[in-house]
Amino acid sequence: MKFGRFLTGLGVLIVVGVAGAFVYAWKPEIAPIKPPERASFDQALIEHGAKLAAVGNCTACHTNPGGKSFAGGLTIPTPFGTIHSSNITPDAETGIGTWSEAAFQRAMRDGVGRKGEHLYPAFPYDHFTNVSDDDNRALYAFLMTRQPVKATPPPNELPFPLNVRLVLAGWKMLFFRDGAYQPDASQSEEWNRGAYLVDGLGHCGACHTPRNTLGAEKASLHLAGGEAEGWSAFALDGSSPAPVVWDEEGLYTYLRQGWHPDHGVANGPMSEVTGNLGLLPDSDIRAMATYIASIVGEPSAERRAKSEQLLQEIKSGPITSAIGNDQSALGGKGAAIYQAACAACHENGRPQPFGGLDLRLSSTVHAPDAQNAINMVLYGLPAASGRTSAIMPGFADVLTNDQLNDLLGYLRQHFTDQAPWGDVVQRAADTRTGKYHVSVRPSDGIERGPSNIGAEDQ
Amino acid sequence: MKLNVNGSTHEVDADPATPLLYVLRNDLELNAAKFGCGLGQCGACTVMVDGKAIFSCLTPILLLEGREIKTVEGLGTIDSPGPMQQAFIEEQAAQCGYCIPGMMMRAQALLQSKPDASDAEIQTTLEPNLCRCGTHMRILKAVKRARELMKTAAMAPASGERKV
Amino acid sequence: MNAPRFPNVTRRSLLLGTGALVVSFSLKDHAFAQEGELNVPAKPPEPVATGPKLPGSLADTPSLDAWIRIDADSSVTVYTGKAELGQGTKTSLRQIAAEELEVPPASINLITADTAITPDEGFTAGSQTVQNSGTAIRNAAAQVREILIQQASSKLQVPADQLKAQNGRIVGPDGKSIGYGEVVMTDMLHVDAQPKSKLKSPDAYEYIGKPFARVDIPAKVTGGPAYVQDMRLPGMLHARVVRPPSWFATLKDIDTASIKAMPGVVAVIRDGNFLAVAAEKEFQAVQAMRALTDLAEWEETPRLPNEQDLPAVLQKSESEQGVVAEAGGDFTGGITTFSAQFMRPYQMHASIGPSCSVAHLDNGTMTVWTHTQGVYPDRKAIAQMLGMPLDKVRCIHTEGSGCYGHNGADDAAGDAALIARALPGRPVKVQWMRDQEHLWEPYGPAMLTKVSASLDVSGKIVNWKYDLWSNTHSARPGSAGALLPGQLMASGFPPDKPVMNITPLGNGDRNAIPLYSIPNMRVLWHFVADMPVRVSSLRGLGAYANVFSIESFMDQLAKEAGADPVEFRLKHMEDPRARKVIATAVEAFNWSSDPMPEGRGRGFAFAKYKNHAAYLALAMEIDVDKETGKIRIPRIVSAVDCGEAVAPDNIRNQTEGGIIQSLSWTMYEEVNFDNTRIMSSDWSTYPILRFSAVPGTLDVHIVDNPGSPYLGVAEAAQGPTSAALANALANATGKRLYNLPFSPARVKATLGV
C-alpha cells in the first residue's frame, strides 16, 4: 500500500541523513551524575512536575501494561518498525538515574539522549521543545523522585538504516525546529497558556495532526486529524466530524471529566489522556479548551443550525420505534443487527458516561473513515480493573466481516448524512489479523487493556 | 430458524432478535449458560461460536445461522465429563458454581485455539468473567489442569494403543 | 428434562409404609438466635397441613424438628432445614452423617429447606451450618447406629458389644451380618434422640477430615439443573418487574394497554408502586419490561443522605446507645493515648446471578421456589403480604447464585408470589435484571468506628475505648414489610422497626470486642435506626468493619510501642488456640521485620470470628504503585482453626473465597448515590475484583483439632483480610488508610507525589 512511497522517502532520508551527519549530527555526552536525593528537590516542585507529567501523558508510553510505572518497555508499532519505550525511572543502570538536569533539558529541547544519541521522534520532542526551562526542571524533579526500577526494554526492531541513530539528524534537519514556546502577543494570556499546553507538553498534534511519509507532522494541517495506535484522532479544526459543534464549554467539560453528554466518553488512546488530565487545575483545562476552540473556529451558520436541531431531536428521546419498522427500507440486515445487539444499550436512555451513546451524536459514526467504528464494534471498551468505567462488550467474535459491514452501513445511513464507507470489510479483515495494529483499552484512562487484544494470535 | 448447537441442528421458533442465551436456556433447555448481567460485563453467559468465546446474552440468533454453537453441555456429560469439566471437578473449582460454565467456555475457547497457552494468558483471557465467591485461584488451577488433560486427550486416540 | 429435581424431591421413603427406624432430634438447642436476629421463631412452627404426612408420631412432637430415617430398603435420609448456598453444606452434612452411620456419604439422601417437609432452622447464615446442624446430626447419627446394633443383636443372637456397623451392615465377629434395611424391616421404630451419644473416635474417621468431592459440583459443570434459574415447569410464564428509578418514588397514572398488546404478553400487573409484566417467552417479557420502563413515569423524592458526609450523617442519626462490653473502668492509666477513626461505606452482596424465583398458585396453595436463606421466615412474610393463611403458602429452597447474606432472594420470591397470585394455575418465573439486583438489594450497612487506647511504659495496652455507629445488620423477612413488593404494593406494609440487639453472636457489634487482654475496656454501639439506604446482613455483618478497625489500630499501637506487629499481638493474647493459629500463619509466611524494597510491604491480622467461632490469622505481601495507586498482591498466607475440620478442602475453598471477596470489598467497593438515586447499577459503576488483580499465591493452612467442636468458618476471613491489607499498605508506604475502600484514586491521593 504505502510501501512504495515509503521506500522513496527512505532514499531521501538516507541522502539527507548522510549529509546531515556531517553538519548537524554530533552531540556531546553529558557527564553522568549520581542519582540525586529526594531531599535535593523542593516538594512543591515535585508536585508541580507531577501535574506536568500528567499533561505530557508520560506514563502512557513509558509504562508497560501491568508493569511498573515509568519503567518503559511498551511496544510502539510505527510504520517504520517497532520501538520499545525507555525506562525513565531514576534507576542508575537502566533508567535515567545518571541524567543531570542539563541532560534532561537537552532531551526535551533537542531530542538528544544523555550520551549524545539522537532520540527517535516517537518521543515527541518536536512538541516538548516548546516546554519552558522551569517546567522541565519540575518534570525532572518529579521523574527523579519516582521509584527506581531496574528494567531494560527489548531492543527496537527497525530496518537498516533506521536503526542507525545518526539518520535521525537528517530527519531533524528537515522537520525539527527547537526552541521554547513564544507567546502570541495578539492573543489572550489564557489562549497562550492553552497553546503552550496543547502544542507543547500535551503534544496533541502527535495524534491529531496528519503525518507525512517520513512520519513528521504536516505543519500546514495542524490538528486537522491524525492517527494514534490504530485509531483515528479526529480533526480538532473546522473539519471535526462531531455532529454537535465543539465549543469552548464543550471542550472544557470533555477534557475535565473525560466525557460529554453530547459527545460520549473518551475512548481509544484518548481515554488515557483525559484520565491524566484529571490532575490539572480547572484553569489549565479551561486554557486548553480556549485554544482548541479557536482552532475549531466559528462554525458556519448552517453547521450551527444543524447541530442545534440535532440537540432538540435528542431531547425528544431515542428513535427506537422508527428503527423497529425500518428493516426493509434500509437494507434489512444491518438494521436487524443494530436493533437486536445494540439498541438495548444505545437507546435505553441511560445517561453518559455509563450508558450507550445515542449514535446520532457519535463522531465515530460520522467520521471520514470507518476505523474507529470498526475498533469500537470489534473490541468495545473493556472493563477497567477495580475502577468505575464505561464498559462496552466487543463483538469481534460474534460478527463476521460481512455482518459488521451490514451493521456499519446501516449506522452510517441511519444516523448520519454522510456517504457510505466503502472499505469496511477489508479494513475489518486487516484489523483482525493485526496487519493494522489497534490498541484497546478501558475508558477510565489510566489503565491499558491487556496487550493488543485486537490482533489474532499468530 | 435453524441453529447448530453442540453438533446437532435445532429448529428454533423464536424472534430472530432474541439473544442466544434465552434460546439456549428456554427453547433448548440447556442450563449451563447463565444470565448474569445482560450487558456483556460479567461473562456468566459465555458460550462458544465457531470456536470463539462470546457473550450469549448480547448475541441475537439472527447472527448465528450456519455457525457452530457450543455450550458446556457439549463438552461432556456428568457420566463422561470432558477434560475441562474433569479439571473443574478434580480441582473442586466451584463455590456456588453460577459463574463456572462461563469460565469454562472462555477457557475452552482459549485452549482449543492455543493448547499451550501460558498461565499469564489464561489469567488475562478470563478477565471479562466475574466470580463473586472468590473462587479465582481454583478456577485458574482448574484451567491449567484442563490444559494438561486436553493435551492427554488429544494424544490418546492418536497413539492407537491406549491401555485399559 | 423439566425440573426433574425440584418439587417433592423424593418422598418415597416417607410413603413406603413398611418398617423403618426414625431418630428425631432437635436443632433448636444449637441454632439459638441465628445471627443475633430476633425474628427467628421462638417456638417451632405448627406442622404444615398440606405437606406430606410426617412419619409416625413425629408430627406430634414438634420439639424434635429434624430426623434421620433408615428404611427397609436400607436407604438413609437426613432431614435438615439448612440450605445449600454454594458453601458445600450438602456435602459437609452428608460427610458427618455418613461417618457415624457407617455408610458412604453419597448414599445419603439429604433433604434441605422446604417448609412442607423440613424443620424450621431459621436462616442459613452466620457460618453456623456445620457448627449447629452438623453437631446435632452427628449425635443423632451415632444414636441411630447404636440402635441398629441393639436391634441387630437380638436378630443375630450376638451380644451388642461384639457387633459393629460397617458399610451399611451390622457385622458380627464370625462374619455374620445383617443389612440396615433388614434390621428395621419389621417394625416402625421411632425414637427421640438422647442427650448423650457414643461418638466415633477421631482416629477411626473415614470421611470427616478426609478429601471428599462436593456432591453438587459435577452437575454444575456439566449443565445439570442446579439453580432456581434453571427451573422450567409446564406452562410456566416469564415475568419481569419494573422498579421505580429511586427509593420513595411513586408511580403516576399509567395506561398499559400498549404493553398488553405486545407479542406474548399475558398480563401487566400494577399494585401501587409495584409494576410487573408476564409473558409467554422470556425475551418477550424482557421487551415488554423495557417498553413498560419507558412508559412509566415516577415522582421522585430526594431523601438519601449526602454520600460525601457519611461519618457525620451516621453520628447525627444516632437513636440509641448500647453497651457491648465494659471491663475495668480505669481510663486514666497509661503514658500515651492514641486514637483513630475508621469508615466503611455501604457495600453490596452483588451476586453474579440476579435474584430469581418461581411461584405457582394452584388450588388455593401458593408454592414458591426461592433461594432465600430462610424458607420459614420468607413464607411468613409472603403469607402476610398476600393475606393468605400460613398453611396455604409453601416455600421450597432451591439454590441460587451465591448470596453472601440477605440479598434480593426474598424480595424476588415476594415478586413471584405477587405476580403468580394474579395468574392462578400458571407457574411464574421472575428473573431480576442486573440493575435491579444492584439497585434494590439491601446493602451491607455503612459503619463509622472510633477507637482510642493507652499504652503503658512496657508497651502494653492498659485501656481501650471503642465506639461504633451502625444501622442494624438484620432486616430480614419475617413480616411483609421486609419484602420490596410488600413495601411497594398499594396496601404498603411498612418495614419492620429496626431494633438494636446486643447478643454474644453480634450484629453491628459483631467482633467489636477485641480478643486481646486489656484490663480496662468499654465498647459502645451507637445505634442508628434510620436507614434511608436499605441495609441488611452481608457476610460477616459488623465483623468486617470492626476487625478492620481493631486490627488496623493494633498495628498502629505496635508501631507506637516500637514492637513487631505480631509480637505485639501475642503479648496481649492468652488464648492458646489463637496463639497457635497466629504462629502457624507467621511461620508459613516466614514473617520478619526485615526491610523490603521500596513500594513493598507486609501486613498481618488476626480475629476469632464472633469471638466464639473460627480463629483466622493472615499475612500478606503487597506492592503499591504510588503513581497509579494500584495494589498488587504477590502472596497471602492464612491459618485457620475451626475445631475439627470436617471437610478440609471445603474449608480451604471457603477461606480462599472469603479472602478474595474481602480483598474486593477492601480495594474497590462502595455504593455510590446522590440525594435521590443509587448510582451503582451494574459492574461498570460497582467494579469488583477481576482476574488481573488476584494474588500471586494464596495458601490456607488448617490447624485441625480432631474431636473438638466444630467452629463456623465461612465468614472468618472477611475482617482479617481487610486489616492485613491496610497494615501492609502502611508498612509499604508509611501511610495508613482509614477509610474503605482503598481505591487506586484514594491510595494515590493519600500517598501524594
Side-chain angles (χ1 to χ4, degrees), chain A residues 340, chain B residues 15-24 56-61, chain C residues 283 290:
Chain B
D15 178 351
T18 309
L20 173 63
L21 177 68
Y22 296 127
V23 172
L24 292 175
S56 67
C57 72
L58 291 170
T59 304
I61 53 172
Chain C
F283 189 52
R290 288 181 185 151

PDB file of all heavy atoms in Angstrom, chain A residues 340, chain B residues 15-24 56-61, chain C residues 283 290:
ATOM      1  N   ALA A 340     -31.149  -5.626  17.443  1.00  0.00           N
ATOM      2  CA  ALA A 340     -31.052  -6.762  18.360  1.00  0.00           C
ATOM      3  C   ALA A 340     -29.833  -6.669  19.272  1.00  0.00           C
ATOM      4  O   ALA A 340     -29.894  -7.060  20.428  1.00  0.00           O
ATOM      5  CB  ALA A 340     -31.006  -8.061  17.560  1.00  0.00           C
TER       6      ALA A 340
ATOM      7  N   ASP B  15     -38.187 -15.160  17.798  1.00  0.00           N
ATOM      8  CA  ASP B  15     -37.878 -13.878  17.170  1.00  0.00           C
ATOM      9  C   ASP B  15     -36.372 -13.851  16.869  1.00  0.00           C
ATOM     10  O   ASP B  15     -35.560 -14.118  17.763  1.00  0.00           O
ATOM     11  CB  ASP B  15     -38.264 -12.788  18.186  1.00  0.00           C
ATOM     12  CG  ASP B  15     -37.945 -11.389  17.695  1.00  0.00           C
ATOM     13  OD1 ASP B  15     -37.271 -11.256  16.657  1.00  0.00           O
ATOM     14  OD2 ASP B  15     -38.362 -10.433  18.378  1.00  0.00           O
ATOM     15  N   PRO B  16     -35.986 -13.540  15.638  1.00  0.00           N
ATOM     16  CA  PRO B  16     -34.550 -13.544  15.295  1.00  0.00           C
ATOM     17  C   PRO B  16     -33.726 -12.578  16.153  1.00  0.00           C
ATOM     18  O   PRO B  16     -32.512 -12.724  16.258  1.00  0.00           O
ATOM     19  CB  PRO B  16     -34.522 -13.087  13.834  1.00  0.00           C
ATOM     20  CG  PRO B  16     -35.908 -13.226  13.329  1.00  0.00           C
ATOM     21  CD  PRO B  16     -36.837 -13.194  14.493  1.00  0.00           C
ATOM     22  N   ALA B  17     -34.386 -11.612  16.756  1.00  0.00           N
ATOM     23  CA  ALA B  17     -33.666 -10.664  17.604  1.00  0.00           C
ATOM     24  C   ALA B  17     -33.387 -11.238  18.989  1.00  0.00           C
ATOM     25  O   ALA B  17     -32.682 -10.620  19.788  1.00  0.00           O
ATOM     26  CB  ALA B  17     -34.473  -9.372  17.744  1.00  0.00           C
ATOM     27  N   THR B  18     -33.938 -12.407  19.276  1.00  0.00           N
ATOM     28  CA  THR B  18     -33.775 -12.971  20.618  1.00  0.00           C
ATOM     29  C   THR B  18     -32.305 -13.278  20.899  1.00  0.00           C
ATOM     30  O   THR B  18     -31.637 -13.924  20.096  1.00  0.00           O
ATOM     31  CB  THR B  18     -34.574 -14.284  20.750  1.00  0.00           C
ATOM     32  OG1 THR B  18     -35.911 -14.037  20.320  1.00  0.00           O
ATOM     33  CG2 THR B  18     -34.576 -14.796  22.176  1.00  0.00           C
ATOM     34  N   PRO B  19     -31.794 -12.828  22.048  1.00  0.00           N
ATOM     35  CA  PRO B  19     -30.431 -13.199  22.394  1.00  0.00           C
ATOM     36  C   PRO B  19     -30.304 -14.718  22.524  1.00  0.00           C
ATOM     37  O   PRO B  19     -31.193 -15.387  23.050  1.00  0.00           O
ATOM     38  CB  PRO B  19     -30.217 -12.518  23.747  1.00  0.00           C
ATOM     39  CG  PRO B  19     -31.185 -11.377  23.768  1.00  0.00           C
ATOM     40  CD  PRO B  19     -32.373 -11.866  22.996  1.00  0.00           C
ATOM     41  N   LEU B  20     -29.177 -15.219  22.067  1.00  0.00           N
ATOM     42  CA  LEU B  20     -28.926 -16.662  22.084  1.00  0.00           C
ATOM     43  C   LEU B  20     -29.179 -17.262  23.466  1.00  0.00           C
ATOM     44  O   LEU B  20     -29.704 -18.373  23.591  1.00  0.00           O
ATOM     45  CB  LEU B  20     -27.473 -16.911  21.651  1.00  0.00           C
ATOM     46  CG  LEU B  20     -26.969 -18.341  21.762  1.00  0.00           C
ATOM     47  CD1 LEU B  20     -27.760 -19.272  20.858  1.00  0.00           C
ATOM     48  CD2 LEU B  20     -25.475 -18.409  21.413  1.00  0.00           C
ATOM     49  N   LEU B  21     -28.806 -16.542  24.516  1.00  0.00           N
ATOM     50  CA  LEU B  21     -28.938 -17.071  25.876  1.00  0.00           C
ATOM     51  C   LEU B  21     -30.346 -17.584  26.157  1.00  0.00           C
ATOM     52  O   LEU B  21     -30.527 -18.679  26.691  1.00  0.00           O
ATOM     53  CB  LEU B  21     -28.570 -15.988  26.899  1.00  0.00           C
ATOM     54  CG  LEU B  21     -28.737 -16.387  28.360  1.00  0.00           C
ATOM     55  CD1 LEU B  21     -27.715 -17.452  28.752  1.00  0.00           C
ATOM     56  CD2 LEU B  21     -28.587 -15.185  29.281  1.00  0.00           C
ATOM     57  N   TYR B  22     -31.341 -16.785  25.805  1.00  0.00           N
ATOM     58  CA  TYR B  22     -32.720 -17.180  26.113  1.00  0.00           C
ATOM     59  C   TYR B  22     -33.126 -18.408  25.301  1.00  0.00           C
ATOM     60  O   TYR B  22     -33.871 -19.261  25.765  1.00  0.00           O
ATOM     61  CB  TYR B  22     -33.687 -16.028  25.847  1.00  0.00           C
ATOM     62  CG  TYR B  22     -33.446 -14.825  26.732  1.00  0.00           C
ATOM     63  CD1 TYR B  22     -33.271 -13.554  26.198  1.00  0.00           C
ATOM     64  CD2 TYR B  22     -33.384 -14.963  28.126  1.00  0.00           C
ATOM     65  CE1 TYR B  22     -33.051 -12.457  27.003  1.00  0.00           C
ATOM     66  CE2 TYR B  22     -33.159 -13.865  28.935  1.00  0.00           C
ATOM     67  CZ  TYR B  22     -32.997 -12.608  28.374  1.00  0.00           C
ATOM     68  OH  TYR B  22     -32.779 -11.533  29.181  1.00  0.00           O
ATOM     69  N   VAL B  23     -32.628 -18.483  24.075  1.00  0.00           N
ATOM     70  CA  VAL B  23     -32.954 -19.638  23.237  1.00  0.00           C
ATOM     71  C   VAL B  23     -32.313 -20.892  23.817  1.00  0.00           C
ATOM     72  O   VAL B  23     -32.937 -21.949  23.913  1.00  0.00           O
ATOM     73  CB  VAL B  23     -32.494 -19.388  21.783  1.00  0.00           C
ATOM     74  CG1 VAL B  23     -32.659 -20.648  20.951  1.00  0.00           C
ATOM     75  CG2 VAL B  23     -33.269 -18.224  21.184  1.00  0.00           C
ATOM     76  N   LEU B  24     -31.068 -20.779  24.227  1.00  0.00           N
ATOM     77  CA  LEU B  24     -30.388 -21.937  24.820  1.00  0.00           C
ATOM     78  C   LEU B  24     -31.126 -22.406  26.068  1.00  0.00           C
ATOM     79  O   LEU B  24     -31.409 -23.585  26.245  1.00  0.00           O
ATOM     80  CB  LEU B  24     -28.945 -21.579  25.192  1.00  0.00           C
ATOM     81  CG  LEU B  24     -27.967 -21.296  24.048  1.00  0.00           C
ATOM     82  CD1 LEU B  24     -26.621 -20.839  24.609  1.00  0.00           C
ATOM     83  CD2 LEU B  24     -27.774 -22.530  23.177  1.00  0.00           C
ATOM     84  N   SER B  56     -23.422 -14.758  25.189  1.00  0.00           N
ATOM     85  CA  SER B  56     -24.665 -15.160  24.529  1.00  0.00           C
ATOM     86  C   SER B  56     -25.823 -14.231  24.873  1.00  0.00           C
ATOM     87  O   SER B  56     -26.815 -14.181  24.175  1.00  0.00           O
ATOM     88  CB  SER B  56     -25.022 -16.610  24.876  1.00  0.00           C
ATOM     89  OG  SER B  56     -25.344 -16.755  26.236  1.00  0.00           O
ATOM     90  N   CYS B  57     -25.682 -13.467  25.967  1.00  0.00           N
ATOM     91  CA  CYS B  57     -26.793 -12.578  26.370  1.00  0.00           C
ATOM     92  C   CYS B  57     -26.960 -11.414  25.419  1.00  0.00           C
ATOM     93  O   CYS B  57     -27.962 -10.726  25.449  1.00  0.00           O
ATOM     94  CB  CYS B  57     -26.599 -12.074  27.798  1.00  0.00           C
ATOM     95  SG  CYS B  57     -25.286 -10.856  27.987  1.00  0.00           S
ATOM     96  N   LEU B  58     -25.923 -11.153  24.604  1.00  0.00           N
ATOM     97  CA  LEU B  58     -25.955  -9.986  23.715  1.00  0.00           C
ATOM     98  C   LEU B  58     -25.913 -10.374  22.246  1.00  0.00           C
ATOM     99  O   LEU B  58     -25.783  -9.517  21.392  1.00  0.00           O
ATOM    100  CB  LEU B  58     -24.736  -9.100  23.986  1.00  0.00           C
ATOM    101  CG  LEU B  58     -24.691  -8.364  25.304  1.00  0.00           C
ATOM    102  CD1 LEU B  58     -23.316  -7.754  25.488  1.00  0.00           C
ATOM    103  CD2 LEU B  58     -25.744  -7.277  25.332  1.00  0.00           C
ATOM    104  N   THR B  59     -25.970 -11.669  21.997  1.00  0.00           N
ATOM    105  CA  THR B  59     -25.821 -12.113  20.623  1.00  0.00           C
ATOM    106  C   THR B  59     -27.158 -12.590  20.078  1.00  0.00           C
ATOM    107  O   THR B  59     -27.640 -13.662  20.445  1.00  0.00           O
ATOM    108  CB  THR B  59     -24.805 -13.265  20.552  1.00  0.00           C
ATOM    109  OG1 THR B  59     -23.594 -12.823  21.133  1.00  0.00           O
ATOM    110  CG2 THR B  59     -24.560 -13.678  19.125  1.00  0.00           C
ATOM    111  N   PRO B  60     -27.792 -11.795  19.217  1.00  0.00           N
ATOM    112  CA  PRO B  60     -29.077 -12.219  18.663  1.00  0.00           C
ATOM    113  C   PRO B  60     -28.888 -13.427  17.746  1.00  0.00           C
ATOM    114  O   PRO B  60     -27.875 -13.526  17.051  1.00  0.00           O
ATOM    115  CB  PRO B  60     -29.549 -10.996  17.871  1.00  0.00           C
ATOM    116  CG  PRO B  60     -28.337 -10.181  17.624  1.00  0.00           C
ATOM    117  CD  PRO B  60     -27.374 -10.476  18.726  1.00  0.00           C
ATOM    118  N   ILE B  61     -29.846 -14.308  17.763  1.00  0.00           N
ATOM    119  CA  ILE B  61     -29.678 -15.536  16.985  1.00  0.00           C
ATOM    120  C   ILE B  61     -29.636 -15.272  15.479  1.00  0.00           C
ATOM    121  O   ILE B  61     -29.139 -16.084  14.740  1.00  0.00           O
ATOM    122  CB  ILE B  61     -30.773 -16.585  17.305  1.00  0.00           C
ATOM    123  CG1 ILE B  61     -32.163 -15.984  17.153  1.00  0.00           C
ATOM    124  CG2 ILE B  61     -30.577 -17.152  18.696  1.00  0.00           C
ATOM    125  CD1 ILE B  61     -33.272 -17.020  17.272  1.00  0.00           C
TER     126      ILE B  61
ATOM    127  N   PHE C 283     -37.836 -13.582  26.374  1.00  0.00           N
ATOM    128  CA  PHE C 283     -37.420 -12.357  25.705  1.00  0.00           C
ATOM    129  C   PHE C 283     -38.600 -11.416  25.471  1.00  0.00           C
ATOM    130  O   PHE C 283     -38.437 -10.201  25.457  1.00  0.00           O
ATOM    131  CB  PHE C 283     -36.694 -12.686  24.392  1.00  0.00           C
ATOM    132  CG  PHE C 283     -36.055 -11.496  23.740  1.00  0.00           C
ATOM    133  CD1 PHE C 283     -35.191 -10.666  24.457  1.00  0.00           C
ATOM    134  CD2 PHE C 283     -36.305 -11.189  22.407  1.00  0.00           C
ATOM    135  CE1 PHE C 283     -34.594  -9.560  23.861  1.00  0.00           C
ATOM    136  CE2 PHE C 283     -35.705 -10.086  21.805  1.00  0.00           C
ATOM    137  CZ  PHE C 283     -34.855  -9.272  22.527  1.00  0.00           C
ATOM    138  N   ARG C 290     -38.897  -3.482  29.032  1.00  0.00           N
ATOM    139  CA  ARG C 290     -38.230  -2.271  28.529  1.00  0.00           C
ATOM    140  C   ARG C 290     -39.253  -1.226  28.116  1.00  0.00           C
ATOM    141  O   ARG C 290     -39.118  -0.040  28.434  1.00  0.00           O
ATOM    142  CB  ARG C 290     -37.328  -2.620  27.340  1.00  0.00           C
ATOM    143  CG  ARG C 290     -36.078  -3.375  27.753  1.00  0.00           C
ATOM    144  CD  ARG C 290     -35.198  -3.686  26.537  1.00  0.00           C
ATOM    145  NE  ARG C 290     -34.061  -4.512  26.911  1.00  0.00           N
ATOM    146  CZ  ARG C 290     -33.455  -5.370  26.094  1.00  0.00           C
ATOM    147  NH1 ARG C 290     -33.876  -5.505  24.845  1.00  0.00           N
ATOM    148  NH2 ARG C 290     -32.417  -6.075  26.507  1.00  0.00           N
TER     149      ARG C 290
END
